[in-house]
Amino acid sequence: MTDSTTAPTLRAVVTGASSGIGAATVRLLRSHGWEVTAVARRADRLAALAEETGCSVVVADLTVASDADALAERVRAAGPLHALVANAGGAIGADPVESVSAQVLADSFALNVLTAHAAIAALLPSLRQGAAERGSGDIVAVTSTAGQVAYEGGGAYNAAKFALRGLLGALRLELAGEPLRVVQIAPGMVRTEEFAIKRLGGDTAKVEALYAGVEHPLLAEDIAEAIVHAIELPGHVNLDEVTIRPVAQAAQHKLVREPLRVR
C-alpha cells in the first residue's frame, strides 16, 4: 500500500455481513483502517455490528432488484469503492438429487449466485472509480470446495457453487485489461455459528455429529484473514482461486476425526 499521506481512503462493501465469515471480514477490514459498508437482510445484526466496529450498514435483500439499486446509489454517494466482498450465500438441506425439490434448487441458486451477480453488477461502476484512484480494485467472492467437487447430499449446494465459480471465471476474462482483480475464496469445512445449523434444519445433534472428532475446523476469522490478505496484496498480484481447508480435511471426501499426530 502507498504512503498514508497520499493513499486514498479505502472503502469496501461486504455482503452477507450479519454473521459468520461476512461479519468477521467486516471486523478485520475495520481493524486495518478500511471504511466498510456491511450489507445483509437482518437489521438487528447489522446494528450490533455497526456499534461494535463503526462500519456503515445497508439492510438489503440482493435478490430484490430495488434493494440492489438502492445499495448502488448509497455506495456511489460515498465515493469510489476499492473492494467488494461478495460473501452472501449458504446451503439449504442435504437431500439427494432424486428428492431435492425444485424450490430448494431455485432458492440455492438465488442465495448463492443471484446475490453475487446483483452486487457485482450494481457496484462495478464504483469499483472502476476506485481502481482508477488506487490503481487496482477487487471483487472477492466466497465460493466453496462444494463448487469444485460434488458430494452425496450436496446436489443443490454443489449446483449453485459450481455456477458461481463459472460466473466468476467468465467475469475475470471479461474484465481482462482493466485493473480489477477477481478472487475466489473456496473454503472447505468451516464451523460458524449459523451455516450448519441452518442447513440441517436446526438439528443440533446433527451439527455436533458433523464436526465430531475433527481437530480445529476452520473458523470464520480464518477465512476473513485470507480475504483481507488477497485485497491488500500489491495490485499486480491476483489470487485467482484459493482453496482453504483445515489440516484435518485432506480432501472433500477425506476427513480425519481424531487428534492429529506425527506417525
mmCIF file of all heavy atoms in Angstrom, residues 5 15 29 41 43 45 78 103 109 146 165 214 242:
data_model
loop_
_atom_site.group_PDB
_atom_site.id
_atom_site.type_symbol
_atom_site.label_atom_id
_atom_site.label_comp_id
_atom_site.label_asym_id
_atom_site.label_seq_id
_atom_site.Cartn_x
_atom_site.Cartn_y
_atom_site.Cartn_z
ATOM 1 N N THR A 5 0.021 9.335 3.713
ATOM 2 C CA THR A 5 -0.262 10.742 3.444
ATOM 3 C C THR A 5 -0.834 10.957 2.055
ATOM 4 O O THR A 5 -1.429 11.994 1.787
ATOM 5 C CB THR A 5 1.027 11.579 3.598
ATOM 6 O OG1 THR A 5 2.007 11.094 2.658
ATOM 7 C CG2 THR A 5 1.572 11.463 5.007
ATOM 8 N N THR A 15 -21.006 -8.228 1.638
ATOM 9 C CA THR A 15 -22.375 -8.744 1.682
ATOM 10 C C THR A 15 -22.428 -9.969 2.595
ATOM 11 O O THR A 15 -21.405 -10.573 2.915
ATOM 12 C CB THR A 15 -22.899 -9.100 0.285
ATOM 13 O OG1 THR A 15 -22.208 -10.258 -0.218
ATOM 14 C CG2 THR A 15 -22.704 -7.939 -0.687
ATOM 15 N N LEU A 29 -11.359 -5.911 8.340
ATOM 16 C CA LEU A 29 -11.135 -4.748 7.495
ATOM 17 C C LEU A 29 -11.142 -3.465 8.312
ATOM 18 O O LEU A 29 -10.300 -2.572 8.102
ATOM 19 C CB LEU A 29 -12.201 -4.685 6.395
ATOM 20 C CG LEU A 29 -12.035 -5.648 5.222
ATOM 21 C CD1 LEU A 29 -13.296 -5.656 4.364
ATOM 22 C CD2 LEU A 29 -10.815 -5.290 4.373
ATOM 23 N N ARG A 41 -29.618 -8.820 5.322
ATOM 24 C CA ARG A 41 -31.064 -8.653 5.459
ATOM 25 C C ARG A 41 -31.489 -8.348 6.887
ATOM 26 O O ARG A 41 -32.550 -7.775 7.099
ATOM 27 C CB ARG A 41 -31.789 -9.915 4.971
ATOM 28 C CG ARG A 41 -31.650 -10.161 3.475
ATOM 29 C CD ARG A 41 -32.279 -11.468 3.050
ATOM 30 N NE ARG A 41 -31.553 -12.620 3.603
ATOM 31 C CZ ARG A 41 -31.860 -13.878 3.328
ATOM 32 N NH1 ARG A 41 -32.862 -14.157 2.531
ATOM 33 N NH2 ARG A 41 -31.161 -14.866 3.867
ATOM 34 N N ALA A 43 -31.553 -6.394 10.075
ATOM 35 C CA ALA A 43 -31.214 -5.059 10.566
ATOM 36 C C ALA A 43 -30.630 -5.106 11.969
ATOM 37 O O ALA A 43 -29.700 -4.347 12.287
ATOM 38 C CB ALA A 43 -32.452 -4.171 10.536
ATOM 39 N N ARG A 45 -28.869 -7.465 13.495
ATOM 40 C CA ARG A 45 -27.482 -7.948 13.459
ATOM 41 C C ARG A 45 -26.548 -6.871 12.920
ATOM 42 O O ARG A 45 -25.437 -6.679 13.430
ATOM 43 C CB ARG A 45 -27.375 -9.207 12.605
ATOM 44 C CG ARG A 45 -28.025 -10.444 13.172
ATOM 45 C CD ARG A 45 -27.274 -10.934 14.411
ATOM 46 N NE ARG A 45 -27.689 -12.254 14.818
ATOM 47 C CZ ARG A 45 -26.986 -13.381 14.589
ATOM 48 N NH1 ARG A 45 -25.840 -13.329 13.948
ATOM 49 N NH2 ARG A 45 -27.432 -14.541 15.023
ATOM 50 N N ALA A 78 -21.073 7.664 -1.565
ATOM 51 C CA ALA A 78 -19.967 7.675 -0.600
ATOM 52 C C ALA A 78 -18.610 7.892 -1.262
ATOM 53 O O ALA A 78 -17.641 8.245 -0.585
ATOM 54 C CB ALA A 78 -19.954 6.375 0.190
ATOM 55 N N GLN A 103 -37.902 -26.056 -5.678
ATOM 56 C CA GLN A 103 -37.852 -24.811 -4.918
ATOM 57 C C GLN A 103 -36.523 -24.668 -4.174
ATOM 58 O O GLN A 103 -35.943 -23.574 -4.135
ATOM 59 C CB GLN A 103 -39.004 -24.746 -3.911
ATOM 60 C CG GLN A 103 -39.134 -23.386 -3.229
ATOM 61 C CD GLN A 103 -39.393 -22.270 -4.222
ATOM 62 O OE1 GLN A 103 -40.353 -22.324 -4.988
ATOM 63 N NE2 GLN A 103 -38.518 -21.262 -4.246
ATOM 64 N N PHE A 109 -29.813 -21.363 -5.785
ATOM 65 C CA PHE A 109 -29.242 -20.547 -6.857
ATOM 66 C C PHE A 109 -29.393 -19.062 -6.537
ATOM 67 O O PHE A 109 -28.453 -18.278 -6.702
ATOM 68 C CB PHE A 109 -29.927 -20.880 -8.184
ATOM 69 C CG PHE A 109 -29.191 -20.386 -9.392
ATOM 70 C CD1 PHE A 109 -28.210 -21.161 -9.981
ATOM 71 C CD2 PHE A 109 -29.474 -19.144 -9.941
ATOM 72 C CE1 PHE A 109 -27.524 -20.698 -11.106
ATOM 73 C CE2 PHE A 109 -28.798 -18.680 -11.056
ATOM 74 C CZ PHE A 109 -27.809 -19.460 -11.643
ATOM 75 N N ALA A 146 -17.359 -27.035 -2.342
ATOM 76 C CA ALA A 146 -18.538 -27.667 -2.947
ATOM 77 C C ALA A 146 -18.729 -27.239 -4.389
ATOM 78 O O ALA A 146 -19.497 -27.869 -5.123
ATOM 79 C CB ALA A 146 -19.789 -27.330 -2.138
ATOM 80 N N ARG A 165 -18.845 -20.329 -9.390
ATOM 81 C CA ARG A 165 -17.449 -20.425 -9.839
ATOM 82 C C ARG A 165 -17.339 -20.123 -11.333
ATOM 83 O O ARG A 165 -16.433 -19.416 -11.779
ATOM 84 C CB ARG A 165 -16.937 -21.830 -9.533
ATOM 85 C CG ARG A 165 -15.450 -22.020 -9.743
ATOM 86 C CD ARG A 165 -15.072 -23.449 -9.427
ATOM 87 N NE ARG A 165 -13.642 -23.678 -9.550
ATOM 88 C CZ ARG A 165 -13.095 -24.849 -9.834
ATOM 89 N NH1 ARG A 165 -13.878 -25.916 -10.019
ATOM 90 N NH2 ARG A 165 -11.796 -24.993 -9.932
ATOM 91 N N VAL A 214 -13.234 -33.782 14.810
ATOM 92 C CA VAL A 214 -12.379 -33.044 13.874
ATOM 93 C C VAL A 214 -11.565 -32.009 14.649
ATOM 94 O O VAL A 214 -12.127 -31.129 15.313
ATOM 95 C CB VAL A 214 -13.216 -32.332 12.789
ATOM 96 C CG1 VAL A 214 -12.302 -31.552 11.848
ATOM 97 C CG2 VAL A 214 -14.044 -33.351 12.019
ATOM 98 N N VAL A 242 -8.434 -19.544 -4.235
ATOM 99 C CA VAL A 242 -7.729 -20.031 -3.054
ATOM 100 C C VAL A 242 -8.616 -21.065 -2.360
ATOM 101 O O VAL A 242 -9.718 -20.744 -1.920
ATOM 102 C CB VAL A 242 -7.404 -18.881 -2.077
ATOM 103 C CG1 VAL A 242 -6.668 -19.420 -0.857
ATOM 104 C CG2 VAL A 242 -6.582 -17.805 -2.774
#
